Amino acid sequence: MAYIPAMTLVIAESASTYSVMVSDRLTTKWRGTNLIGRFDEVANKTVVFLSGTEGVAIGYTGNAFLERMPTDEWIAQQLWGDAFMLGPHGDSYAMYMGPPKVRRSVPQALFHLQARLAATRGGQGVTLLATGWRRRRGRLTPLLVTITARRNRRTQADMRMRRPTSLLSRRASVGASLTATVAVPSMPGLHPVRALGQGLAAAIRNVSRTDRTVGPHVMQVLMIPGQVVCEFLPEAEHVIRFGDLKPSLAVPTAYSPWILSDGGYVPPQLIGGGPVRVPGGGWLITMAGARPLQAAGAPAAFVYSQRRPKAP
């Protein structure tokens, strides 16, 4: 069994006042060019990178491992510039509050990823999509970027920046074909940007019904300058039993992506209960929970670092 490029579907939309990224969470097993089956239905494929007032969400499609580590972890490590601290059980990472070893602006970070992708074995099997803002001539400018590495006589990376105007938004996707029109639901009390995210997530879920390389569980990242909201949108509620809580609880569970900022990093988390908010340099980061815990004496919310998959 081996990983080869798995399609996935990542969709992003960018405008002057908001950025939205949604990605499915499925990774699959292949033998040669034959799809064998599902490997992980809730694998993280998203990295949020915040630097000063600049910030982007980055998603990937393609090889699930680079240099024997999950590709999302590889991306995060390239951006952070150092190895991450393992948690007490050795199969997940601990949160870290402190400055990064290497400080990069968003354009510097993306060009660094471009160079590293081109130089890394298997990098030609990965495509990145990023959306957010960079600072240009003293102003925040929205961007929508795809990064690919192509092998011809030598490996080359191609980066295209699409700069939305102040009046129009732009949308891009990588991975599987987005065959259906995105319908934005109209729900009373639902913020329009969140409604857009719900519509993009529904489009991914629709593709998953006919494409075995796309999963129905979705990670959504909503960004406005200074704020990030990460929300897990599953097809059905996920419940995990935490036996080390007293009493043992079956907990509705959400997930979060990698989050890197000037103030530290948060590895992918399992979140029980309500939302968890953390500062990230000049950004307020919200990791949405599933729903409040109902059991007597239960905490308002808690987080566990998600176990990292091992390379095949």
Side-chain angles (χ1 to χ4, degrees), residues 236-242 249-255 291:
E237 185 175 73
H238 281 222
V239 176
I240 294 178
R241 182 167 293 278
F242 289 90
L249 293 177
V251 179
T253 303
Y255 296 82
R291 58 184 171 86

Side-chain angles (χ1 to χ4, degrees), residues 271-310:
I271 305 166
V276 176
R277 294 181 175 89
V278 295
W283 294 73
L284 176 63
I285 302 163
T286 301
M287 301 181 292
R291 58 184 171 86
L293 303 179
Q294 302 297 325
F302 57 86
V303 295
Y304 277 59
S305 287
Q306 186 178 2
R307 291 179 177 176
R308 307 305 295 153
K310 295 182 180 179

Side-chain angles (χ1 to χ4, degrees), residues 116-136:
R116 291 293 301 128
L117 201 63
T120 300
R121 182 179 180 183
Q124 69 275 9
V126 174
T127 299
L128 307 181
L129 179 62
T131 183
W133 294 273
R134 64 170 176 168
R135 184 161 291 281
R136 189 166 182 258

Side-chain angles (χ1 to χ4, degrees), residues 41 44 65 108 124 131 181 189 194 256 292 304:
E41 296 190 1
N44 180 59
F65 286 86
Q108 288 171 341
Q124 69 275 9
T131 183
T181 302
R194 193 174 177 210
S256 69
Y304 277 59

Side-chain angles (χ1 to χ4, degrees), residues 33-34 41 49 85 91 105 115 121 124 149 155 161 177 187 194 215 218 224 231 234 253 262 290 298 302-303 307:
T33 58
N34 297 319
E41 296 190 1
F49 177 77
M85 294 189 304
D91 57 0
S105 67
R121 182 179 180 183
Q124 69 275 9
T155 303
M161 288 196 180
S177 297
M187 300 181 181
R194 193 174 177 210
V218 176
I224 62 174
E231 186 174 8
T253 303
D262 293 340
F302 57 86
V303 295
R307 291 179 177 176

Side-chain angles (χ1 to χ4, degrees), residues 82-94:
D82 200 1
F84 299 115
M85 294 189 304
L86 284 172
H89 301 295
D91 57 0
S92 60
Y93 290 109

Side-chain angles (χ1 to χ4, degrees), residues 25 44-50 56-58 70-77 79-80 82-85 92-96 219 221 228 230 255-261 265-269 285 287 306 308:
R25 306 267 293 182
N44 180 59
K45 301 179 183 178
T46 310
V47 177
V48 177
F49 177 77
L50 309 172
V56 286
I58 303 169
T71 299
D72 65 308
E73 181 181 327
W74 182 91
I75 294 168
Q77 186 167 297
L79 296 175
W80 186 253
D82 200 1
F84 299 115
M85 294 189 304
S92 60
Y93 290 109
M95 294 186 192
Y96 171 78
M219 175 57 65
V221 177
V228 181
C230 306
Y255 296 82
S256 69
W258 277 100
I259 302 171
L260 314 175
S261 74
Y265 62 76
V266 180
Q269 301 289 306
I285 302 163
M287 301 181 292
Q306 186 178 2
R308 307 305 295 153

